[in-house]
Amino acid sequence: MSKDVLCSEIDKLLFLLPASQHEPEEIISLLGKHPEIKFVSLVGVDLGGNDTDEKIPVALFLKDLHTFLAHGVQTDGSSVVLPEIATLNNAQVDIIPDLSVNWFVDYNFDHIDEHTNLPTGTLRIPSFLVHNEVMVDSRSILLNAVKHFKTQILSLMKNHPYVLASLGLSSVDEIEDVILTSATELEFWVKTPDDKADVEQLSTSQVLKEQYWKRTIGPVRTAMEQSLLYLDSYGLESEMGHKEVGGVKAKLTGNGNFDHIMEQLEIDWKYSSALQSADNELIARDVVKDTFIRNGLEVTFMAKPIEGVAGNGEHTHVGVSVKLKNGKMKNIFAPLDMKKEFMSPIGFGALMGLLKNYKVVNPFVTSTNDAFNRLKPGFEAPICTVSSLGHAPNSPSRNRTVLVGLIRDMSNPMATRFELRAPNPTSNTYLVIASIYQAMLDGIKAALENNKTSFELEAALSKKSGESCFYLEKDFAYRSEEEVFEDFTEEERNALFGNPPATVWDNLVHFDKYPEKKSVLLEGDVFNEAIINSYKVATLTQWTTELYNRIILENMEIVRSCKKLHKSEDVSDLDVVNWEKINYLRFDLMKDSLNKKSLFTQIREAIDTQDYVTVSILQLEMQSKINELKDLYIIYKRNLFEFN
């Protein structure tokens, strides 16, 4: 049997165990019918967004199933990212199965079971991490955010019944449940192993839009199609796969194979409840990576794998609906008349809350050096805290340059939602969605407690910088239907929407700089001081360690690679001048002397002394000079007939 299961064999595999099938008797029955499932893995997600994976033999799992489902397994906290929570002298962490969500079976197509002739499977069970009898993981934070939002929104609607009329309801008693929905879009780069990026070629192709939504061919097409089919098997209901803006055409070799593949792709699947949506993303990433690898292709989900061309985003969609006791569903962000109003008061309040409190949401959205490399003008990556509603209620539009966009479908009010465009595939989706709902709830509370109508809230959201507002901050504007990067200068953007953070440190200090915004996260004990502090320590450690031991070393290699190439007999005065500029930058970046330390050394010393303000400033200076060095070296080489 090949590494890919034949179409006739797919039906034999068990991909999904929904929550309705988590009774012990049914688990025993299903695993008994599928002996190819050899292992069980409890999947907890720590504060760094890492998911645990361990191989527990199915026989051991079934031996005392009731106890296993109730108490899970124990592990050493040093194996997960929970700094200052799971300490060296108090490291025990319990991994407890979550019975309320889908469980997935992860198949190893390189390990075919000799008895069944099917790939070996591992039942992956989403779980919680518990320390000192308290849940401390990313999944539990999102679970608590959902519970808190549901309780609070029902209470607010009950205490401010005027808002019910805007939804076509007469009483909160008509509501059976509140459903928080979410979805993510997964972008990634794919390439043949060991191929190096030609940035100029990629950049040219991007400007010309030669790849965007074009037809896939060869192994890329095969892997894409297989990925979509497998996602359906896992119940994700794949909606679309297509080429993104980045990439160049593959080359067909003499033996009929494709080589030099370097393309950017996107795969989308159907929305789900908030927690299930985040779980779905984990399995989707594994499916995509494994499927493309089986087709001889490398996949990266890095936010900015190639400098100078489009990065990988992961636009995150959020919405809120209510299920009525009569069985109908109603989107509480949508207005009664889609042609006259953009949103209901609850929808406007939610958007305003997200924008006002984004400074404490952003540390979860953008938490790595790689993520900040993506958020730069010129690549449709949002850096300004501003939203777009559309040019008119009866004419939906999408402004791709804002942070948060209102998504509307005039024929389908249930589609009304927000798209947060800043996340990337390495963002911790659990914490991102949890912080979004906490921020939105704060704005909803302000809107309803002030008895604001949709039209009043639209006027408030559309206020100009310097105008006072009952909730939003006076100094900033929060809505723009213009092209943010083309219609405003950088100075104008900063004045209107605030200075965007440029480093990981710039983001982390917001927790301390804006205690009133941080308190929004703490509402309902969704986040707490210990969790936020642990997240800060983990993110700070990752930032400085990567900077010290990876980025500086990579930049040293760039400096060393910029060598003098011209010969004396064919040199021009321009070549000499260009080389002198290059050499000056090389010394400034890397070469220490008795009376001056290089930029690399200054950064290392600032990290050693924990002077993070200086580290942040110097990191930006280093990146600017490295970019200048690379650009100058390209210009220098272009003018040379031949190299030494």
Side-chain angles (χ1 to χ4, degrees), residues 404-560:
V404 189
L406 172 63
I407 308 298
R408 305 171 75 236
D409 182 343
M410 299 301 293
S411 62
N412 181 18
M414 289 299 297
T416 304
R417 63 192 187 275
F418 302 129
E419 178 189 49
L420 181 65
R421 297 181 56 81
N424 67 84
T426 63
S427 300
N428 185 332
T429 298
Y430 298 92
L431 300 185
V432 170
I433 297 176
S435 59
I436 287 173
Y437 278 112
Q438 287 289 96
M440 291 197 304
L441 187 58
D442 184 65
I444 295 170
K445 185 183 301 182
L448 269 56
E449 288 179 349
N450 284 276
N451 296 309
K452 296 294 184 180
T453 66
S454 293
F455 294 111
E456 291 172 330
L457 292 168
E458 181 186 345
L461 181 67
S462 306
K463 79 176 191 69
K464 298 183 183 300
S465 173
E467 293 180 354
S468 297
C469 176
F470 77 98
Y471 177 68
L472 295 174
E473 295 172 70
K474 178 180 179 180
D475 293 338
F476 305 117
Y478 292 90
R479 177 187 178 187
S480 175
E481 304 303 334
E482 298 175 277
E483 213 277 28
V484 170
F485 299 117
E486 293 292 332
D487 296 334
F488 303 108
T489 64
E490 181 179 357
E491 292 74 17
E492 290 171 334
R493 290 197 299 269
N494 292 343
L496 290 170
F497 315 123
N499 292 321
T503 69
V504 173
W505 176 253
D506 287 350
N507 239 350
L508 286 179
V509 295
H510 288 166
F511 287 132
D512 298 321
K513 192 174 180 180
Y514 301 98
E516 74 286 355
K517 298 183 190 296
K518 185 177 72 173
S519 67
V520 171
L521 300 177
L522 304 178
E523 287 287 331
D525 294 323
V526 172
F527 291 84
N528 57 50
E529 293 287 1
I531 289 290
I532 290 178
N533 181 64
S534 183
Y535 179 82
K536 285 170 56 179
V537 172
T539 305
L540 183 63
T541 300
Q542 180 183 6
W543 170 55
T544 54
T545 302
E546 187 179 54
L547 187 56
Y548 201 110
N549 296 322
R550 182 176 296 166
I551 294 176
I552 288 178
L553 294 180
E554 291 173 350
N555 286 342
M556 288 174 66
E557 290 305 311
I558 292 173
V559 171
R560 291 189 176 112

Side-chain angles (χ1 to χ4, degrees), residues 158-310:
K158 183 177 182 179
N159 294 333
H160 305 283
Y162 87 94
V163 77
L164 294 171
S166 68
L167 300 172
L169 300 176
S170 57
S171 170
V172 74
D173 293 333
E174 297 178 57
I175 298 173
E176 179 180 303
D177 193 13
V178 179
I179 300 174
L180 279 62
T181 56
S182 181
T184 55
E185 305 170 7
L186 189 62
E187 293 179 0
F188 54 96
W189 276 85
V190 57
K191 71 183 187 72
T192 43
D194 301 324
D195 271 351
K196 302 297 183 182
D198 185 329
V199 175
E200 286 189 277
Q201 188 179 5
L202 287 168
S203 180
T204 301
S205 178
Q206 177 177 301
V207 172
L208 296 175
K209 298 188 183 296
E210 292 177 333
Q211 296 295 301
Y212 200 28
W213 286 68
K214 295 295 191 295
R215 179 175 178 266
T216 53
I217 59 173
V220 175
R221 174 177 177 173
T222 301
M224 170 81 82
E225 292 172 350
Q226 289 174 349
S227 295
L228 294 172
L229 291 172
Y230 282 126
L231 291 181
D232 280 346
S233 298
Y234 284 107
L236 270 63
E237 299 183 58
S238 54
E239 293 187 331
M240 186 184 301
H242 64 85
K243 283 193 179 187
E244 261 292 337
V245 66
V248 291
K249 291 182 179 179
K251 297 179 180 179
L252 188 63
T253 64
N255 60 9
N257 295 323
F258 284 92
D259 202 356
H260 293 85
I261 294 171
M262 193 163 293
E263 301 179 19
Q264 189 184 31
L265 307 173
E266 178 180 320
I267 287 181
D268 308 325
W269 53 92
K270 191 176 181 180
Y271 68 89
S272 187
S273 62
L275 188 57
Q276 187 62 67
S277 179
D279 285 346
N280 287 350
E281 183 190 313
L282 285 185
I283 191 65
R285 284 192 289 184
D286 289 341
V287 165
V288 167
K289 179 164 284 191
D290 290 348
T291 304
F292 276 80
I293 287 175
R294 290 199 302 275
N295 285 277
L297 299 167
E298 288 184 1
V299 167
T300 179
F301 298 117
M302 288 181 63
K304 193 73 169 180
I306 306 171
E307 185 66 32
V309 295

Side-chain angles (χ1 to χ4, degrees), residues 291-394:
T291 304
F292 276 80
I293 287 175
R294 290 199 302 275
N295 285 277
L297 299 167
E298 288 184 1
V299 167
T300 179
F301 298 117
M302 288 181 63
K304 193 73 169 180
I306 306 171
E307 185 66 32
V309 295
N312 292 323
E314 187 180 79
H315 305 157
T316 300
H317 297 249
V318 291
V320 182
S321 299
V322 292
K323 181 180 180 181
L324 305 181
K325 292 177 181 178
N326 62 11
K328 294 182 178 180
M329 298 288 294
K330 184 173 286 290
N331 187 320
I332 62 173
F333 285 176
L336 276 180
D337 191 336
M338 295 283 289
K339 295 183 179 180
K340 291 184 178 180
E341 298 174 289
F342 285 105
M343 287 184 286
S344 70
I346 291 176
F348 272 108
L351 179 55
M352 293 167 74
L354 177 55
L355 293 169
K356 180 180 179 180
N357 296 300
Y358 190 70
K359 289 187 182 298
V360 293
V361 174
N362 199 5
F364 301 113
V365 172
T366 310
S367 60
T368 63
N369 293 298
D370 175 46
F372 274 100
N373 287 338
R374 170 179 169 260
L375 298 183
K376 295 178 180 178
F379 298 97
E380 297 181 348
I383 61 172
C384 303
T385 306
V386 61
S387 67
S388 168
L389 302 179
H391 297 291
N394 61 354

Side-chain angles (χ1 to χ4, degrees), residues 552-553 555-560 584-593 597-601 604:
I552 288 178
L553 294 180
N555 286 342
M556 288 174 66
E557 290 305 311
I558 292 173
V559 171
R560 291 189 176 112
Y584 176 82
L585 283 171
R586 294 170 75 232
F587 271 74
D588 194 37
L589 283 161
M590 185 172 163
K591 195 74 170 177
D592 291 338
S593 65
K597 294 178 179 177
S598 70
L599 196 50
F600 293 162
T601 298
R604 290 193 190 98

Side-chain angles (χ1 to χ4, degrees), residues 39-110:
F39 304 101
V40 173
S41 176
L42 299 187
V43 184
V45 183
D46 63 24
L47 297 182
N50 308 297
D51 55 304
T52 62
D53 184 41
E54 66 289 324
K55 299 294 183 183
I56 302 169
V58 164
L60 183 61
F61 171 68
L62 296 176
K63 186 176 181 180
D64 192 2
L65 182 57
H66 290 82
T67 301
F68 196 98
L69 294 179
H71 303 290
V73 299
Q74 295 180 355
T75 186
D76 183 342
S78 63
S79 61
V80 291
V81 178
L82 296 170
E84 300 191 13
I85 292 178
T87 57
L88 288 176
N89 63 343
N90 188 11
Q92 179 176 309
V93 172
D94 299 323
I95 311 180
I96 310 297
D98 184 355
L99 308 183
S100 69
V101 295
N102 294 338
W103 298 353
F104 302 104
V105 182
D106 175 28
Y107 286 101
N108 182 357
F109 293 94
D110 290 320

